[in-house]
Amino acid sequence: MTTLLVIAKEPLPGRVKTRLTPPFTPPEAARLAEAALADSLRAVAAAPARRRVLVLDGAPGPWLPAGFEVVPQRAGGLDERLAAAFAGCSGPALLIGMDTPQVTPELLTVDFADCDAYFGPAYDGGFWALGLAEPDPALLRGVPMSTPTTGAVQRARLVDAGLRVRDLPRLRDVDTAADATAVAGTAPHGMFAAELARLGAVTGR
C-alpha cells in the first residue's frame, strides 16, 4: 500500500498564510492554516495507507490525529524538502501539502498498478499532489518552486524520466482571501469552512 505524506508548517502567526494578511490578521491567518491542516490530515487518516507521515516544520499540536509519524523537514529550498520527504520512503508514496483542505480520502486513494506517477495540478500553476511508485528524490531537486510554471516543469520532469503519469483533478490552493472563500465553498462541511465562517461572523468580513 501507499505511504501518504503531508508536508506542512506548524500553524503559528506570522509564519503561515502570510498572503491572507490583509484582510486577516496574522493570528486569524494562523487559525485558518490550522483548520486547513486539520482537514488535510483528516482526509489522509481516512484514506488507505501503509504509513501516514507528517513532514513538519515546527512542533506538532492538538490538531494532529493519531496514527501519524512525525518527521522534521530538512533544511534547504522547497524542492530539497520535498525530495527529502520522498527519500524517507520505500515503496509507493503520495505527497500533499496543507493548502487544499477540500481534499478527500477518495482523491488520495491511488493505485500504481498501471502508472508510475500521480500528478495533481493546482490552479496557480503549482501542484497539490505528487505520487511516485518508486520514490526518486532526483525527480524533484532543481525544480523551481512557487512560480506559475512549477507544475508544468515538475510534470515534464516526470515524463522526461519515462514515467507513466496519471493526472489527478486540478484543485485550488488557499493562498489569498479569494482562494479561501472559493475553497470553503467546495467543502462547506470542513473545519476550514467553519473557521472562515466564524471569522467572518466575528469581524464582518
Side-chain angles (χ1 to χ4, degrees), residues 87-100:
C89 298
S90 59
L94 179 73
L95 179 144
I96 67 169
M98 59 184 287
D99 297 336
T100 50

Side-chain angles (χ1 to χ4, degrees), residues 169-198:
R170 190 179 303 272
L171 295 184
R172 186 168 184 169
D173 287 336
V174 174
D175 290 322
T176 67
D179 293 331
T181 300
V183 167
T186 66
H189 304 298
M191 296 177 68
F192 180 81
E195 182 62 25
L196 184 65
R198 190 191 70 79

Side-chain angles (χ1 to χ4, degrees), residues 116-202:
D116 306 303
Y118 278 86
F119 182 77
Y123 278 102
D124 63 2
F127 59 93
W128 66 269
L130 180 64
L132 298 172
E134 297 182 6
D136 180 358
L139 291 169
L140 293 105
R141 292 193 180 109
V143 173
M145 296 289 166
S146 303
T147 78
T149 61
T150 292
V153 173
Q154 182 63 75
R155 194 182 189 286
R157 180 77 69 89
L158 304 176
V159 173
D160 291 345
L163 303 185
R164 299 167 297 167
V165 181
R166 177 174 291 178
D167 291 310
L168 295 167
R170 190 179 303 272
L171 295 184
R172 186 168 184 169
D173 287 336
V174 174
D175 290 322
T176 67
D179 293 331
T181 300
V183 167
T186 66
H189 304 298
M191 296 177 68
F192 180 81
E195 182 62 25
L196 184 65
R198 190 191 70 79
L199 288 174
V202 169

